[in-house]
PDB file of all heavy atoms in Angstrom:
ATOM      1  N   VAL A 790     141.454 190.239  82.344  1.00 96.00           N
ATOM      2  CA  VAL A 790     142.508 189.644  83.189  1.00 96.00           C
ATOM      3  C   VAL A 790     142.714 190.552  84.398  1.00 96.00           C
ATOM      4  O   VAL A 790     142.964 191.763  84.298  1.00 96.00           O
ATOM      5  CB  VAL A 790     143.855 189.541  82.435  1.00 96.00           C
ATOM      6  CG1 VAL A 790     144.942 188.896  83.324  1.00 96.00           C
ATOM      7  CG2 VAL A 790     143.683 188.746  81.179  1.00 96.00           C
ATOM      8  N   VAL A 791     142.558 189.941  85.602  1.00 96.00           N
ATOM      9  CA  VAL A 791     142.730 190.665  86.844  1.00 96.00           C
ATOM     10  C   VAL A 791     143.790 189.858  87.683  1.00 96.00           C
ATOM     11  O   VAL A 791     143.558 188.796  88.079  1.00 96.00           O
ATOM     12  CB  VAL A 791     141.437 190.694  87.678  1.00 96.00           C
ATOM     13  CG1 VAL A 791     141.621 191.518  88.988  1.00 96.00           C
ATOM     14  CG2 VAL A 791     140.318 191.403  86.857  1.00 96.00           C
ATOM     15  N   ALA A 792     144.972 190.512  87.804  1.00 96.00           N
ATOM     16  CA  ALA A 792     146.048 189.845  88.502  1.00 96.00           C
ATOM     17  C   ALA A 792     145.770 189.634  89.956  1.00 96.00           C
ATOM     18  O   ALA A 792     146.114 188.612  90.558  1.00 96.00           O
ATOM     19  CB  ALA A 792     147.364 190.641  88.312  1.00 96.00           C
ATOM     20  N   ASP A 793     145.093 190.613  90.571  1.00 95.00           N
ATOM     21  CA  ASP A 793     144.722 190.485  92.019  1.00 95.00           C
ATOM     22  C   ASP A 793     143.373 191.235  92.234  1.00 95.00           C
ATOM     23  O   ASP A 793     143.287 192.426  92.070  1.00 95.00           O
ATOM     24  CB  ASP A 793     145.797 191.175  92.869  1.00 95.00           C
ATOM     25  CG  ASP A 793     145.611 190.906  94.363  1.00 95.00           C
ATOM     26  OD1 ASP A 793     144.495 190.407  94.723  1.00 95.00           O
ATOM     27  OD2 ASP A 793     146.474 191.203  95.158  1.00 95.00           O
ATOM     28  N   ALA A 794     142.328 190.455  92.555  1.00 92.00           N
ATOM     29  CA  ALA A 794     141.031 190.991  92.645  1.00 92.00           C
ATOM     30  C   ALA A 794     140.723 191.566  94.027  1.00 92.00           C
ATOM     31  O   ALA A 794     139.579 191.963  94.253  1.00 92.00           O
ATOM     32  CB  ALA A 794     139.961 189.854  92.299  1.00 92.00           C
ATOM     33  N   THR A 795     141.681 191.605  94.865  1.00 90.00           N
ATOM     34  CA  THR A 795     141.487 192.159  96.205  1.00 90.00           C
ATOM     35  C   THR A 795     140.992 193.589  96.088  1.00 90.00           C
ATOM     36  O   THR A 795     141.658 194.429  95.488  1.00 90.00           O
ATOM     37  CB  THR A 795     142.736 192.092  97.040  1.00 90.00           C
ATOM     38  OG1 THR A 795     143.244 190.781  97.132  1.00 90.00           O
ATOM     39  CG2 THR A 795     142.517 192.668  98.451  1.00 90.00           C
ATOM     40  N   GLY A 796     139.839 193.895  96.643  1.00 86.00           N
ATOM     41  CA  GLY A 796     139.251 195.228  96.613  1.00 86.00           C
ATOM     42  C   GLY A 796     138.684 195.617  95.293  1.00 86.00           C
ATOM     43  O   GLY A 796     138.216 196.774  95.154  1.00 86.00           O
ATOM     44  N   ASP A 797     138.686 194.735  94.311  1.00 90.00           N
ATOM     45  CA  ASP A 797     138.068 195.068  92.992  1.00 90.00           C
ATOM     46  C   ASP A 797     136.531 195.064  93.099  1.00 90.00           C
ATOM     47  O   ASP A 797     135.969 193.956  93.406  1.00 90.00           O
ATOM     48  CB  ASP A 797     138.574 194.068  91.922  1.00 90.00           C
ATOM     49  CG  ASP A 797     138.238 194.554  90.550  1.00 90.00           C
ATOM     50  OD1 ASP A 797     137.086 194.968  90.276  1.00 90.00           O
ATOM     51  OD2 ASP A 797     139.135 194.464  89.624  1.00 90.00           O
ATOM     52  N   PRO A 798     135.841 196.101  92.833  1.00 88.00           N
ATOM     53  CA  PRO A 798     134.387 196.157  93.069  1.00 88.00           C
ATOM     54  C   PRO A 798     133.617 195.313  92.010  1.00 88.00           C
ATOM     55  O   PRO A 798     132.406 195.073  92.191  1.00 88.00           O
ATOM     56  CB  PRO A 798     134.052 197.650  92.829  1.00 88.00           C
ATOM     57  CG  PRO A 798     135.155 198.168  91.986  1.00 88.00           C
ATOM     58  CD  PRO A 798     136.373 197.436  92.377  1.00 88.00           C
ATOM     59  N   ARG A 799     134.258 194.793  91.013  1.00 88.00           N
ATOM     60  CA  ARG A 799     133.597 193.948  90.018  1.00 88.00           C
ATOM     61  C   ARG A 799     133.349 192.570  90.509  1.00 88.00           C
ATOM     62  O   ARG A 799     132.632 191.796  89.893  1.00 88.00           O
ATOM     63  CB  ARG A 799     134.397 193.932  88.675  1.00 88.00           C
ATOM     64  CG  ARG A 799     134.492 195.257  87.968  1.00 88.00           C
ATOM     65  CD  ARG A 799     135.430 195.171  86.762  1.00 88.00           C
ATOM     66  NE  ARG A 799     136.842 194.985  87.215  1.00 88.00           N
ATOM     67  CZ  ARG A 799     137.864 195.022  86.417  1.00 88.00           C
ATOM     68  NH1 ARG A 799     137.657 195.181  85.130  1.00 88.00           N
ATOM     69  NH2 ARG A 799     139.071 194.840  86.834  1.00 88.00           N
ATOM     70  N   PHE A 800     133.978 192.215  91.640  1.00 88.00           N
ATOM     71  CA  PHE A 800     133.885 190.865  92.160  1.00 88.00           C
ATOM     72  C   PHE A 800     133.242 190.852  93.547  1.00 88.00           C
ATOM     73  O   PHE A 800     133.579 191.659  94.372  1.00 88.00           O
ATOM     74  CB  PHE A 800     135.301 190.195  92.230  1.00 88.00           C
ATOM     75  CG  PHE A 800     135.922 190.032  90.880  1.00 88.00           C
ATOM     76  CD1 PHE A 800     136.755 191.097  90.414  1.00 88.00           C
ATOM     77  CD2 PHE A 800     135.777 188.878  90.170  1.00 88.00           C
ATOM     78  CE1 PHE A 800     137.385 190.949  89.234  1.00 88.00           C
ATOM     79  CE2 PHE A 800     136.385 188.809  88.906  1.00 88.00           C
ATOM     80  CZ  PHE A 800     137.185 189.810  88.431  1.00 88.00           C
ATOM     81  N   ASP A 801     132.345 189.911  93.755  1.00 81.00           N
ATOM     82  CA  ASP A 801     131.762 189.633  95.049  1.00 81.00           C
ATOM     83  C   ASP A 801     132.521 188.495  95.662  1.00 81.00           C
ATOM     84  O   ASP A 801     132.110 187.317  95.479  1.00 81.00           O
ATOM     85  CB  ASP A 801     130.290 189.363  94.967  1.00 81.00           C
ATOM     86  CG  ASP A 801     129.623 189.240  96.293  1.00 81.00           C
ATOM     87  OD1 ASP A 801     130.320 189.188  97.354  1.00 81.00           O
ATOM     88  OD2 ASP A 801     128.366 189.171  96.346  1.00 81.00           O
ATOM     89  N   ARG A 802     133.563 188.797  96.359  1.00 73.00           N
ATOM     90  CA  ARG A 802     134.434 187.726  96.869  1.00 73.00           C
ATOM     91  C   ARG A 802     133.801 186.964  97.992  1.00 73.00           C
ATOM     92  O   ARG A 802     134.286 185.876  98.372  1.00 73.00           O
ATOM     93  CB  ARG A 802     135.778 188.315  97.305  1.00 73.00           C
ATOM     94  CG  ARG A 802     136.498 188.927  96.172  1.00 73.00           C
ATOM     95  CD  ARG A 802     137.868 189.595  96.495  1.00 73.00           C
ATOM     96  NE  ARG A 802     138.818 188.513  96.841  1.00 73.00           N
ATOM     97  CZ  ARG A 802     139.345 188.431  98.038  1.00 73.00           C
ATOM     98  NH1 ARG A 802     139.076 189.271  99.009  1.00 73.00           N
ATOM     99  NH2 ARG A 802     140.316 187.553  98.283  1.00 73.00           N
ATOM    100  N   SER A 803     132.684 187.450  98.515  1.00 76.00           N
ATOM    101  CA  SER A 803     131.974 186.641  99.578  1.00 76.00           C
ATOM    102  C   SER A 803     131.336 185.492  98.966  1.00 76.00           C
ATOM    103  O   SER A 803     131.057 184.427  99.630  1.00 76.00           O
ATOM    104  CB  SER A 803     130.872 187.520 100.250  1.00 76.00           C
ATOM    105  OG  SER A 803     129.852 187.851  99.302  1.00 76.00           O
ATOM    106  N   GLN A 804     131.039 185.484  97.646  1.00 79.00           N
ATOM    107  CA  GLN A 804     130.427 184.308  96.965  1.00 79.00           C
ATOM    108  C   GLN A 804     131.515 183.475  96.298  1.00 79.00           C
ATOM    109  O   GLN A 804     131.204 182.296  95.936  1.00 79.00           O
ATOM    110  CB  GLN A 804     129.426 184.809  95.900  1.00 79.00           C
ATOM    111  CG  GLN A 804     128.241 185.511  96.490  1.00 79.00           C
ATOM    112  CD  GLN A 804     127.142 185.755  95.426  1.00 79.00           C
ATOM    113  OE1 GLN A 804     126.828 184.845  94.666  1.00 79.00           O
ATOM    114  NE2 GLN A 804     126.562 186.970  95.453  1.00 79.00           N
ATOM    115  N   ILE A 805     132.688 183.994  96.150  1.00 83.00           N
ATOM    116  CA  ILE A 805     133.758 183.149  95.629  1.00 83.00           C
ATOM    117  C   ILE A 805     134.958 183.311  96.570  1.00 83.00           C
ATOM    118  O   ILE A 805     135.905 184.056  96.345  1.00 83.00           O
ATOM    119  CB  ILE A 805     134.180 183.613  94.217  1.00 83.00           C
ATOM    120  CG1 ILE A 805     132.967 183.743  93.328  1.00 83.00           C
ATOM    121  CG2 ILE A 805     135.178 182.655  93.608  1.00 83.00           C
ATOM    122  CD1 ILE A 805     133.277 184.214  91.963  1.00 83.00           C
ATOM    123  N   PRO A 806     134.939 182.579  97.710  1.00 82.00           N
ATOM    124  CA  PRO A 806     135.986 182.758  98.705  1.00 82.00           C
ATOM    125  C   PRO A 806     137.340 182.441  98.170  1.00 82.00           C
ATOM    126  O   PRO A 806     137.548 181.521  97.396  1.00 82.00           O
ATOM    127  CB  PRO A 806     135.610 181.719  99.779  1.00 82.00           C
ATOM    128  CG  PRO A 806     134.150 181.466  99.591  1.00 82.00           C
ATOM    129  CD  PRO A 806     133.869 181.676  98.102  1.00 82.00           C
ATOM    130  N   GLY A 807     138.345 183.326  98.481  1.00 87.00           N
ATOM    131  CA  GLY A 807     139.677 183.035  98.094  1.00 87.00           C
ATOM    132  C   GLY A 807     140.048 183.534  96.661  1.00 87.00           C
ATOM    133  O   GLY A 807     141.160 183.366  96.249  1.00 87.00           O
ATOM    134  N   LEU A 808     139.106 184.146  95.988  1.00 93.00           N
ATOM    135  CA  LEU A 808     139.413 184.607  94.627  1.00 93.00           C
ATOM    136  C   LEU A 808     140.418 185.711  94.656  1.00 93.00           C
ATOM    137  O   LEU A 808     140.242 186.729  95.296  1.00 93.00           O
ATOM    138  CB  LEU A 808     138.124 185.061  93.933  1.00 93.00           C
ATOM    139  CG  LEU A 808     138.275 185.493  92.431  1.00 93.00           C
ATOM    140  CD1 LEU A 808     136.923 185.283  91.745  1.00 93.00           C
ATOM    141  CD2 LEU A 808     138.661 186.919  92.291  1.00 93.00           C
ATOM    142  N   ARG A 809     141.569 185.547  93.946  1.00 94.00           N
ATOM    143  CA  ARG A 809     142.527 186.585  93.792  1.00 94.00           C
ATOM    144  C   ARG A 809     142.818 186.820  92.319  1.00 94.00           C
ATOM    145  O   ARG A 809     142.622 187.946  91.808  1.00 94.00           O
ATOM    146  CB  ARG A 809     143.854 186.186  94.508  1.00 94.00           C
ATOM    147  CG  ARG A 809     143.711 185.995  95.973  1.00 94.00           C
ATOM    148  CD  ARG A 809     143.434 187.294  96.726  1.00 94.00           C
ATOM    149  NE  ARG A 809     144.503 188.234  96.625  1.00 94.00           N
ATOM    150  CZ  ARG A 809     145.576 188.268  97.442  1.00 94.00           C
ATOM    151  NH1 ARG A 809     145.699 187.309  98.355  1.00 94.00           N
ATOM    152  NH2 ARG A 809     146.493 189.196  97.262  1.00 94.00           N
ATOM    153  N   PHE A 810     143.258 185.784  91.603  1.00 96.00           N
ATOM    154  CA  PHE A 810     143.507 185.983  90.127  1.00 96.00           C
ATOM    155  C   PHE A 810     142.262 185.498  89.386  1.00 96.00           C
ATOM    156  O   PHE A 810     141.620 184.532  89.698  1.00 96.00           O
ATOM    157  CB  PHE A 810     144.722 185.075  89.762  1.00 96.00           C
ATOM    158  CG  PHE A 810     144.866 184.927  88.269  1.00 96.00           C
ATOM    159  CD1 PHE A 810     145.463 185.920  87.508  1.00 96.00           C
ATOM    160  CD2 PHE A 810     144.451 183.785  87.612  1.00 96.00           C
ATOM    161  CE1 PHE A 810     145.623 185.753  86.141  1.00 96.00           C
ATOM    162  CE2 PHE A 810     144.547 183.622  86.211  1.00 96.00           C
ATOM    163  CZ  PHE A 810     145.178 184.628  85.481  1.00 96.00           C
ATOM    164  N   TYR A 811     141.955 186.319  88.293  1.00 96.00           N
ATOM    165  CA  TYR A 811     140.836 185.939  87.432  1.00 96.00           C
ATOM    166  C   TYR A 811     141.147 186.274  85.996  1.00 96.00           C
ATOM    167  O   TYR A 811     141.710 187.351  85.703  1.00 96.00           O
ATOM    168  CB  TYR A 811     139.621 186.764  87.924  1.00 96.00           C
ATOM    169  CG  TYR A 811     138.384 186.570  86.953  1.00 96.00           C
ATOM    170  CD1 TYR A 811     137.499 185.572  87.093  1.00 96.00           C
ATOM    171  CD2 TYR A 811     138.211 187.521  85.906  1.00 96.00           C
ATOM    172  CE1 TYR A 811     136.459 185.447  86.236  1.00 96.00           C
ATOM    173  CE2 TYR A 811     137.136 187.379  85.027  1.00 96.00           C
ATOM    174  CZ  TYR A 811     136.241 186.315  85.225  1.00 96.00           C
ATOM    175  OH  TYR A 811     135.208 186.175  84.323  1.00 96.00           O
ATOM    176  N   VAL A 812     140.735 185.396  85.132  1.00 97.00           N
ATOM    177  CA  VAL A 812     140.751 185.645  83.695  1.00 97.00           C
ATOM    178  C   VAL A 812     139.473 185.125  83.064  1.00 97.00           C
ATOM    179  O   VAL A 812     139.031 183.983  83.355  1.00 97.00           O
ATOM    180  CB  VAL A 812     141.982 185.070  82.992  1.00 97.00           C
ATOM    181  CG1 VAL A 812     142.114 183.560  83.212  1.00 97.00           C
ATOM    182  CG2 VAL A 812     141.924 185.370  81.498  1.00 97.00           C
ATOM    183  N   GLY A 813     138.791 185.929  82.297  1.00 96.00           N
ATOM    184  CA  GLY A 813     137.566 185.524  81.632  1.00 96.00           C
ATOM    185  C   GLY A 813     137.601 185.812  80.150  1.00 96.00           C
ATOM    186  O   GLY A 813     137.981 186.905  79.734  1.00 96.00           O
ATOM    187  N   VAL A 814     137.201 184.837  79.342  1.00 96.00           N
ATOM    188  CA  VAL A 814     137.173 184.962  77.939  1.00 96.00           C
ATOM    189  C   VAL A 814     135.673 184.922  77.430  1.00 96.00           C
ATOM    190  O   VAL A 814     134.986 183.949  77.794  1.00 96.00           O
ATOM    191  CB  VAL A 814     137.966 183.856  77.219  1.00 96.00           C
ATOM    192  CG1 VAL A 814     137.996 184.146  75.686  1.00 96.00           C
ATOM    193  CG2 VAL A 814     139.342 183.791  77.725  1.00 96.00           C
ATOM    194  N   PRO A 815     135.222 185.925  76.753  1.00 95.00           N
ATOM    195  CA  PRO A 815     133.794 185.908  76.351  1.00 95.00           C
ATOM    196  C   PRO A 815     133.528 184.853  75.312  1.00 95.00           C
ATOM    197  O   PRO A 815     134.370 184.553  74.459  1.00 95.00           O
ATOM    198  CB  PRO A 815     133.608 187.341  75.770  1.00 95.00           C
ATOM    199  CG  PRO A 815     134.926 187.742  75.333  1.00 95.00           C
ATOM    200  CD  PRO A 815     135.894 187.164  76.279  1.00 95.00           C
ATOM    201  N   LEU A 816     132.345 184.248  75.372  1.00 93.00           N
ATOM    202  CA  LEU A 816     131.827 183.359  74.360  1.00 93.00           C
ATOM    203  C   LEU A 816     130.796 184.076  73.551  1.00 93.00           C
ATOM    204  O   LEU A 816     129.724 184.461  74.030  1.00 93.00           O
ATOM    205  CB  LEU A 816     131.203 182.119  75.031  1.00 93.00           C
ATOM    206  CG  LEU A 816     132.078 181.354  76.019  1.00 93.00           C
ATOM    207  CD1 LEU A 816     131.347 180.145  76.613  1.00 93.00           C
ATOM    208  CD2 LEU A 816     133.342 180.869  75.247  1.00 93.00           C
ATOM    209  N   LYS A 817     131.143 184.353  72.299  1.00 91.00           N
ATOM    210  CA  LYS A 817     130.254 185.182  71.431  1.00 91.00           C
ATOM    211  C   LYS A 817     129.696 184.383  70.271  1.00 91.00           C
ATOM    212  O   LYS A 817     130.368 183.518  69.733  1.00 91.00           O
ATOM    213  CB  LYS A 817     131.084 186.372  70.868  1.00 91.00           C
ATOM    214  CG  LYS A 817     131.559 187.371  71.870  1.00 91.00           C
ATOM    215  CD  LYS A 817     132.278 188.462  71.163  1.00 91.00           C
ATOM    216  CE  LYS A 817     132.820 189.533  72.179  1.00 91.00           C
ATOM    217  NZ  LYS A 817     133.540 190.630  71.469  1.00 91.00           N
ATOM    218  N   SER A 818     128.476 184.671  69.949  1.00 86.00           N
ATOM    219  CA  SER A 818     127.858 184.009  68.787  1.00 86.00           C
ATOM    220  C   SER A 818     128.333 184.713  67.536  1.00 86.00           C
ATOM    221  O   SER A 818     129.047 185.683  67.540  1.00 86.00           O
ATOM    222  CB  SER A 818     126.298 184.235  68.854  1.00 86.00           C
ATOM    223  OG  SER A 818     125.939 185.575  68.739  1.00 86.00           O
ATOM    224  N   THR A 819     128.037 184.063  66.406  1.00 84.00           N
ATOM    225  CA  THR A 819     128.508 184.589  65.120  1.00 84.00           C
ATOM    226  C   THR A 819     127.921 185.988  64.831  1.00 84.00           C
ATOM    227  O   THR A 819     128.517 186.765  64.025  1.00 84.00           O
ATOM    228  CB  THR A 819     128.100 183.686  63.951  1.00 84.00           C
ATOM    229  OG1 THR A 819     126.693 183.437  64.035  1.00 84.00           O
ATOM    230  CG2 THR A 819     128.811 182.334  64.038  1.00 84.00           C
TER     231      THR A 819
END
């Protein structure tokens, strides 16, 4: 969970314009 991705090096905001908030849930096999 990233409340504000501004300046976060894990995100390439040039490829996702306007990205600020992000939440990702992993999909795992058994």
Side-chain angles (χ1 to χ4, degrees):
V790 181
V791 180
D793 188 349
T795 303
D797 193 314
R799 293 173 294 185
F800 297 90
D801 184 351
R802 298 179 70 241
S803 66
Q804 296 190 43
I805 310 178
L808 185 153
R809 298 292 296 276
F810 168 79
Y811 172 87
V812 55
V814 185
L816 304 178
K817 294 181 181 180
S818 66
T819 53

